[in-house]
Amino acid sequence: QDGQQGHLLPPPPPPSAWLPLLLTFLALAPAAAKPNAGLRTWSRFRKLPYPGDQAFLHKTFPGDFIWAVGTAAYQVEGAFEKDGKGLSIWDTFTRGGNRMATGDVGSDSYHNIRADVRAIRQLEVSHYRFSLSWSRIFPNGTRGSYNEIGTNYYRTLIRKLKENRVQPVVTLYHWDLPDHLQQTLGGWSNPDLVEIFRDYADFCFQTFGEDVKYWITIDNPFVVARHGYGTGVVAPGIKNDPDLPFRVGHNLLKAHAAAWHLYDRHYRPLQQGKVSMALSSHWIKPSRTSLESLRECQCSLDHVLGWFARPLFTDGDYPPCMKARLGSRLPTFTQEEREQVRGTADFFALSHGATLSFQLINDSLKFGQQEDLDLRMLLYWVNAEYDKPPIFVVQSGWYVLGNTKTEDPKHMYYLKRFIAETLKSIVIDGVNVIGYTAWSLIDGFEWHREYGIRRGLYYVDFNTPDVKREPKTSATFYRQIRNGFPELPENRPAQGVFPCDFAWGVSANSIQVDTMPSQFADLSVYLWNISNNGALTKLEGLSAPPLRRTTHCADYASIRQQVDDIRLIGVNHFHFSLNWSALVPTGDVAHPNTTLLGYYRCFTRQLLKANITPVVTLWHHTRQRSSLPAPLDNANKWETPEAFADYARLCYRELGAHVKMWITLNEPNDEMVSYQEGHQMLRAHALAWHAYHREFRQTQGGQVSLALHMDWVEPAFSFSREDVEPAKRVLDFRIGWFAEPIFGSGDYPLGMRSWLRQLNSLDLPVFNEEDRQLVKGTYDFFAISHFSTKLVTHAKEDSYTYTAMLEVQHMIDTTWIMSPRPVVPWGLRKALNWVKEHYSHVPVYVMANGVQEDPARFKDSLRVYYLYNYINEALKAYTLDGVNLKGYFAYALSDQRDPGFGLYGQVHEEVIIKVSLSNYRNIIQHNGFPIQGAAPQQCPSLPQPCLGCHVLEKRPVVGFLTLVGSGVLITLGLIIYYTAKRHKE
């Protein structure tokens, strides 16, 4: 069977055809990875289903998966001259040039083995990766300078780890070459270091090998060679020979191979360990969708990761792209050396994250492409390029600024992202990832960044005598992961249906208004050339007699088209906003725009005829424009709430026969609105509600409320009470600000008042008793607009949006789908539950819910995903949580009125029906997500729309008289009157 396509091979042929069959089989059979096999990575990921493939994967890792944490000796050990340790190149490097700090003390792990092991035990990891300080064991780099005390430090560390059932992963060389070897031999530029390193490795294998099953010979040779001996950014800081990095890399590879063969021949039979070289890489994406861009991406990876990975895992030689571009600058392997290097890795040790190789210092190795942060694609590329090796992620993580203490949300969410990508790599992509190492255990000296950033799961207070360690929130998160992200009941899609009277709707900020009747407006006479091209030719000087008839609602083609578009969706409600400033341009309701008012009247009437309930907003808040009538649009907006109440009365009176659901104010709770303005808005809403309640409710029987913008706010650290309070505070200020006076106490939230009191702020107005009674209870339902979710934390990081007044930082989870706001379906369920918890059994409508997507993407996959999952979360709120949810409105009708959000798109003048429209209609037709096999829901049938029923009554009708002559039709419009009874046929 063809593993790629799933096609069955043909049946066995006669013996005479065996040879062709054999050749066919060899072509189909799996083979060793071909050169540049990783090139298919980019196209493969472009073809994965969007956005489903980007959704969070709730699965677990294999039972034998390795969970580890790591450090490097120079970063954390300190004690740089204690107990006979010799100087390393980093001890010397940090004392030269403009460098301000050293690793002389670092995290002082040399004196804090117990504290480090305690931290490792608290994380509940199975492995700890650390490096040996070469100059602590051999102070001058060779066996003759052996230091017993330094060796005993590592014996003790390994023993303590084993006592706590933690397996050591030991790195022989993590950038800290004994300085004596650099000063006397030129360091890694000298081929003599190959045998010197082999002898050092021999000692380590012999001394520690009985307890060590995973060895890393050299960490990140790319950084050692390119930045140690090329750019000079790291020790030893050499930068005067552009070809030196390639000679250094050559020696590093041969040194690793020598150590691997030594272990393979002399130690593996007894110790049964594995040896590799830790290779680090960036990820890169093409700047253009062309094969040339893909080849440049491949070449970029070859110059960083392939430089060392191809010799080890493929053919013992450098990537062809490197050889072609560098020519004689790149050393050559002899055939014997190629055989010596090839295959000298028992697993692929991969580093990824905020390393020097991710930040390439300059753009020279990007080859015009774009650097990206995608561990999953990198894992897939390694898997394809190097013939499916077992991959151990031996370093992964992010960093925070040096002034961050124990709350590190950025680090935590990047950690979550990388682990989630690793899980997808295993479960979805079939990559053999055997372990993951969070970097690092504790804060330390961060190489060329010194102490300017922190990467530890544990915060280290470098100013305390005992260099105190405290767990960060990232440590708590890493410990809680256990073995991945198991699916919980709340993660699973719900099955069930909404009640029969559920309001399914679609919302639009506004509707198309064309107040000129599109029928009977043209009185011209035309020639219709039917026998040739079918063209109409206007006859100049001829016209039909003027019509003596009143305008009818059916005359507006724009209304018919919009109603037809809405009907096609299958909804039973449509929500749109009136234009106050256009309806009452002078601000005086005694002089309304009667033409526009008539248009709105016709629109709502035609909706009702189509069995669609109009839901009408009197005033829709927009940041771009006030939409208040010009005479009322002054510095003190809303200073006369009575004007809004008068406008509401006008609308109730003129449209109330057709409108039974009113929204007074749509999304007034915008953060750009001042507290004083909001106070007057509340009074305006209350006056409008009372006007309807006293003067119109009895005759019209409708309902009135307001709609609040209610994106959800989640604590960044859900396991921390310190972040629960900021989340509640933001909800008080964003939602409770308008909700509590109306649906609750008649006053602003207590938390809101007390917080402002702490800030000595007098901005929040005070309700007098009259206003309290005016505002309280002015609702018939609770309507929300919900689009997305944000995280908030009290921890402050410069890279995120910080709101000083509320003392909260807004951020996102990097695993969320973005477009451009986060797509977080469960946020809707939490928002609905918040309403229930605060205001009991109040009827709730989701009045607008939608996602912005590039209008050019008419496959519309993100909107399909969004609507399905958000509606499913609404169903959970209704069926599982008992929320009194009465309706759901998708936002929006069309891109023409609400760009990027529409169920209808538009290209030039052509209207496009998006896939999401039919998907939404399907959900509506099933009234949710019925349980498979269950009896269908029995709901009373609704009367079918009869748009033509009112035509057969006494009114003018147009007839057509056609005169035929010489192949030309002359068609005249005539006015005919007749009377007929209405009937059901």
Side-chain angles (χ1 to χ4, degrees):
Q1 188 175 21
D2 179 353
Q4 292 296 320
Q5 300 296 331
H7 299 153
L8 293 176
L9 295 174
S16 60
W18 282 0
L19 181 57
L21 176 63
L22 178 60
L23 294 175
T24 301
F25 174 77
L26 291 175
L28 294 173
K34 297 179 181 178
N36 290 334
L39 191 63
R40 69 174 182 263
T41 301
W42 293 273
S43 60
R44 188 256 184 185
F45 277 85
R46 275 202 302 266
K47 294 174 184 175
L48 291 177
Y50 175 81
D53 183 66
Q54 293 186 16
F56 195 81
L57 180 64
H58 290 280
K59 294 285 184 181
T60 55
F61 286 84
D64 58 351
F65 192 77
I66 295 170
W67 292 101
V69 67
T71 57
Y74 185 76
Q75 291 185 281
V76 300
E77 280 185 5
F80 83 110
E81 284 185 316
K82 190 167 184 180
D83 295 337
K85 176 188 172 295
L87 294 178
S88 75
I89 55 175
W90 272 94
D91 292 320
T92 304
F93 181 71
T94 54
R95 284 164 171 75
N98 297 321
R99 283 163 288 279
M100 306 295 293
T102 71
D104 291 359
V105 177
S107 314
D108 202 22
S109 286
Y110 187 77
H111 298 106
N112 283 279
I113 287 180
R114 292 193 177 198
D116 285 353
V117 172
R118 186 186 311 117
I120 295 165
R121 188 175 66 243
Q122 288 173 351
L123 291 173
E124 300 180 10
V125 294
S126 59
H127 289 66
Y128 174 49
R129 182 191 170 199
F130 64 93
S131 71
L132 306 175
S133 170
W134 188 344
S135 59
R136 195 178 295 283
I137 296 172
F138 296 165
N140 71 6
T142 59
R143 196 182 286 255
S145 62
Y146 171 63
N147 178 23
E148 178 74 17
I149 300 177
T151 304
N152 285 339
Y153 166 72
Y154 296 112
R155 286 195 180 105
T156 302
L157 174 58
I158 291 171
R159 187 182 74 252
K160 292 288 185 184
L161 291 171
K162 302 284 279 188
E163 287 173 358
N164 286 276
R165 299 181 180 179
V166 176
Q167 300 301 317
V169 179
V170 178
T171 303
L172 296 176
Y173 178 71
H174 201 127
W175 308 0
D176 52 350
L177 186 73
D179 190 59
H180 180 75
L181 298 178
Q182 182 64 41
Q183 300 302 328
T184 59
L185 299 175
W188 287 108
S189 65
N190 193 326
D192 290 349
L193 245 69
V194 172
E195 279 305 310
I196 294 174
F197 180 75
R198 181 185 182 279
D199 188 55
Y200 163 59
D202 184 35
F203 173 83
C204 296
F205 294 150
Q206 183 179 24
T207 306
F208 310 116
E210 206 170 294
D211 295 312
V212 178
K213 302 307 176 188
Y214 284 95
W215 290 97
I216 304 294
T217 56
I218 297 167
D219 181 86
N220 204 341
F222 172 85
V223 167
V224 175
R226 179 173 174 81
H227 296 313
Y229 293 84
T231 65
V233 172
V234 302
I238 296 171
K239 52 184 175 183
N240 54 4
D241 183 350
D243 296 341
L244 181 58
F246 305 114
R247 299 197 298 273
V248 168
H250 206 66
N251 292 333
L252 289 168
L253 277 165
K254 291 196 286 186
H256 158 79
W260 187 90
H261 284 290
L262 170 71
Y263 187 87
D264 191 55
R265 292 169 188 157
H266 298 287
Y267 295 100
R268 193 190 304 276
L270 289 177
Q271 297 179 1
Q272 296 294 303
K274 299 178 187 295
V275 181
S276 192
M277 184 188 230
L279 307 181
S280 186
S281 185
H282 64 312
W283 181 249
I284 198 150
K285 63 182 181 181
S287 57
R288 297 179 303 278
T289 56
S290 66
L291 183 58
E292 184 59 32
S293 281
L294 291 180
R295 287 174 177 157
E296 292 298 290
C297 288
Q298 182 83 359
C299 200
S300 175
L301 292 172
D302 276 342
H303 274 73
V304 178
L305 182 56
W307 181 4
F308 299 94
R310 186 180 176 101
L312 297 181
F313 289 92
T314 304
D315 58 4
D317 201 0
Y318 296 116
C321 176
M322 283 190 78
K323 295 200 292 185
R325 298 197 181 189
L326 294 172
S328 61
R329 297 176 60 195
L330 194 65
T332 57
F333 288 107
T334 65
Q335 184 59 37
E336 181 182 357
E337 288 173 335
R338 288 177 62 178
E339 292 302 317
Q340 180 76 3
V341 170
R342 183 173 64 87
T344 58
D346 301 321
F347 56 95
F348 200 112
L350 180 66
S351 297
H352 175 262
T355 60
L356 280 166
S357 59
F358 173 74
Q359 296 166 340
L360 296 177
I361 307 302
N362 59 54
D363 292 338
S364 62
L365 292 183
K366 297 178 186 178
F367 302 136
Q369 309 312 306
Q370 299 174 1
E371 200 167 0
D372 196 16
L373 190 65
D374 198 314
L375 176 56
R376 180 184 172 191
M377 290 184 73
L378 177 60
L379 289 168
Y380 188 87
W381 187 88
V382 169
N383 181 71
E385 187 77 5
Y386 303 115
D387 197 21
K388 304 177 181 178
I391 303 173
F392 187 174
V393 179
V394 294
Q395 180 174 339
S396 178
W398 205 243
Y399 64 90
V400 294
L401 299 178
N403 55 6
T404 300
K405 294 189 177 180
T406 58
E407 283 132 347
D408 58 342
K410 183 176 182 180
H411 186 186
M412 185 185 82
Y413 280 103
Y414 270 109
L415 195 60
K416 179 183 178 183
R417 171 180 171 175
F418 296 145
I419 294 170
E421 289 180 352
T422 303
L423 180 61
K424 284 186 176 181
S425 184
I426 296 170
V427 175
I428 298 175
D429 306 332
V431 178
N432 183 20
V433 187
I434 63 172
Y436 180 89
T437 307
W439 199 269
S440 62
L441 172 65
I442 53 179
D443 292 334
F445 179 82
E446 289 298 333
W447 309 113
H448 72 300
R449 295 189 184 95
E450 301 177 346
Y451 297 99
I453 63 170
R454 292 175 178 265
R455 299 185 64 194
L457 298 175
Y458 280 75
Y459 171 75
V460 174
D461 188 342
F462 299 108
N463 297 317
T464 56
D466 57 348
V467 198
K468 184 179 179 182
R469 287 121 164 87
E470 291 183 70
K472 299 180 185 178
T473 43
S474 55
T476 305
F477 167 77
Y478 194 51
R479 183 177 68 245
Q480 290 181 344
I481 284 179
R482 303 296 181 183
N483 205 33
F485 310 98
E487 186 180 53
L488 301 174
E490 57 264 31
N491 305 137
R492 301 182 190 122
Q495 288 185 298
V497 293
F498 291 95
C500 289
D501 62 349
F502 194 72
W504 290 104
V506 64
S507 289
N509 283 348
S510 61
I511 60 172
Q512 180 184 345
V513 175
D514 184 358
T515 56
M516 176 64 70
S518 49
Q519 295 189 56
F520 318 113
D522 189 355
L523 301 179
S524 302
V525 179
Y526 295 84
L527 286 178
W528 183 9
N529 192 346
I530 192 173
S531 62
N532 188 6
N533 60 3
L536 289 173
T537 303
K538 185 176 179 180
L539 295 179
E540 299 296 336
L542 291 177
S543 63
L547 297 176
R548 294 183 177 89
R549 64 187 293 275
T550 58
T551 300
H552 294 269
C553 291
D555 296 348
Y556 297 106
S558 59
I559 291 180
R560 289 203 313 277
Q561 184 60 57
Q562 290 181 90
V563 172
D564 284 346
D565 289 345
I566 297 164
R567 285 182 61 238
L568 183 62
I569 301 171
V571 296
N572 49 42
H573 285 67
F574 177 63
H575 173 218
F576 70 99
S577 301
L578 305 178
N579 189 330
W580 182 8
S581 60
L583 265 177
V584 190
T586 65
D588 183 359
V589 295
H591 301 93
N593 182 335
T594 56
T595 303
L596 180 58
L597 201 54
Y599 186 89
Y600 283 137
R601 189 184 301 112
C602 281
F603 187 82
T604 55
R605 179 182 175 187
Q606 294 303 107
L607 284 173
L608 276 180
K609 285 184 179 181
N611 286 336
I612 299 169
T613 299
V615 181
V616 176
T617 287
L618 297 175
W619 178 81
H620 187 103
H621 175 72
T622 58
R623 291 189 177 186
Q624 293 78 16
R625 59 187 185 278
S626 166
S627 73
L628 295 176
L632 303 177
D633 188 12
N634 51 42
N636 299 316
K637 294 182 176 66
W638 295 92
E639 63 180 350
T640 55
E642 293 76 13
F644 180 74
D646 289 339
Y647 160 62
R649 285 187 182 89
L650 170 69
C651 297
Y652 299 152
R653 184 170 58 251
E654 297 295 333
L655 306 177
H658 307 134
V659 178
K660 305 307 175 188
M661 284 190 71
W662 293 96
I663 302 294
T664 55
L665 309 175
N666 194 80
E667 301 183 4
N669 55 326
D670 187 277
E671 59 188 18
M672 302 301 291
V673 173
S674 69
Y675 294 136
Q676 188 61 46
E677 188 179 353
H679 196 75
Q680 297 304 320
M681 284 182 174
L682 281 165
R683 295 186 68 244
H685 156 78
L687 290 170
W689 187 90
H690 282 293
Y692 189 87
H693 185 68
R694 293 168 183 161
E695 303 168 35
F696 299 93
R697 189 187 298 275
Q698 187 172 357
T699 56
Q700 295 181 0
Q703 295 184 313
V704 182
S705 196
L706 81 171
L708 300 178
H709 184 97
M710 191 180 182
D711 281 355
W712 183 243
V713 179
E714 182 76 3
F717 308 122
S718 57
F719 44 78
S720 167
R721 282 192 58 82
E722 290 181 310
D723 269 4
V724 172
E725 288 304 317
K728 290 171 66 176
R729 180 160 65 248
V730 173
L731 288 169
D732 271 347
F733 274 80
R734 294 287 178 262
I735 315 301
W737 174 25
F738 273 75
E740 187 61 20
I742 295 171
F743 299 90
S745 64
D747 197 358
Y748 296 114
L750 288 174
M752 190 178 181
R753 281 210 182 277
S754 61
W755 182 261
L756 290 172
R757 196 176 299 120
Q758 290 178 31
L759 300 178
N760 295 317
S761 171
L762 301 177
D763 291 342
L764 194 62
V766 175
F767 281 101
N768 58 39
E769 187 57 33
E770 181 183 354
D771 283 347
R772 183 193 295 264
Q773 294 304 320
L774 173 71
V775 171
K776 184 178 179 181
T778 54
Y779 68 91
D780 294 307
F781 52 87
F782 197 116
I784 65 170
S785 300
H786 176 91
F787 298 93
S788 187
T789 293
K790 284 185 179 179
L791 301 174
V792 294
T793 174
H794 71 286
K796 185 177 181 180
E797 283 191 54
D798 294 344
S799 54
Y800 292 109
T801 302
Y802 187 76
T803 304
M805 195 273 283
L806 295 181
E807 295 183 9
V808 294
Q809 179 171 278
H810 295 267
M811 59 180 295
I812 62 166
D813 183 337
T814 54
T815 64
W816 288 345
I817 299 167
M818 298 294 294
S819 181
R821 290 182 285 191
V823 176
V824 192
W826 51 258
L828 175 58
R829 183 181 179 186
K830 292 204 171 191
L832 292 170
N833 272 278
W834 185 93
V835 176
K836 174 177 177 275
E837 289 164 10
H838 284 75
Y839 306 115
S840 190
H841 204 60
V842 61
V844 187
Y845 289 85
V846 178
M847 201 54 69
N849 178 238
V851 66
Q852 187 175 16
E853 190 171 17
D854 183 356
R857 295 179 67 112
F858 291 117
K859 284 190 176 179
D860 208 29
S861 51
L862 177 61
R863 188 169 290 101
V864 170
Y865 174 89
Y866 184 98
L867 290 175
Y868 177 93
N869 286 281
Y870 272 81
I871 295 171
N872 198 265
E873 292 296 324
L875 180 66
K876 292 176 188 178
Y878 171 72
T879 58
L880 302 179
D881 307 332
V883 175
N884 186 19
L885 185 61
K886 306 297 286 185
Y888 172 90
F889 290 67
Y891 178 82
L893 179 62
S894 73
D895 285 343
Q896 185 180 19
R897 313 302 300 179
D898 303 286
F901 284 90
L903 297 173
Y904 288 95
Q906 191 161 8
V907 177
H908 304 302
E909 298 300 319
E910 183 183 1
V911 174
I912 305 294
I913 298 176
K914 299 183 185 179
V915 177
S916 55
L917 187 150
S918 57
N919 277 265
Y920 184 40
R921 181 174 60 217
N922 184 57
I923 294 172
I924 295 171
Q925 288 172 346
H926 291 88
N927 208 26
F929 309 90
I931 300 171
Q932 290 187 351
Q937 185 182 25
Q938 298 298 321
C939 290
S941 58
L942 294 173
Q944 294 301 307
C946 182
L947 299 182
C949 288
H950 295 277
V951 171
L952 301 178
E953 53 185 286
K954 186 174 182 179
R955 60 178 63 203
V957 178
V958 175
F960 293 91
L961 173 65
T962 302
L963 308 176
V964 183
S966 302
V968 177
L969 293 178
I970 302 176
T971 303
L972 300 176
L974 302 177
I975 305 298
I976 302 172
Y977 288 88
Y978 74 94
T979 303
K981 292 183 179 179
R982 296 188 199 177
H983 49 83
K984 296 182 180 178
E985 289 87 345

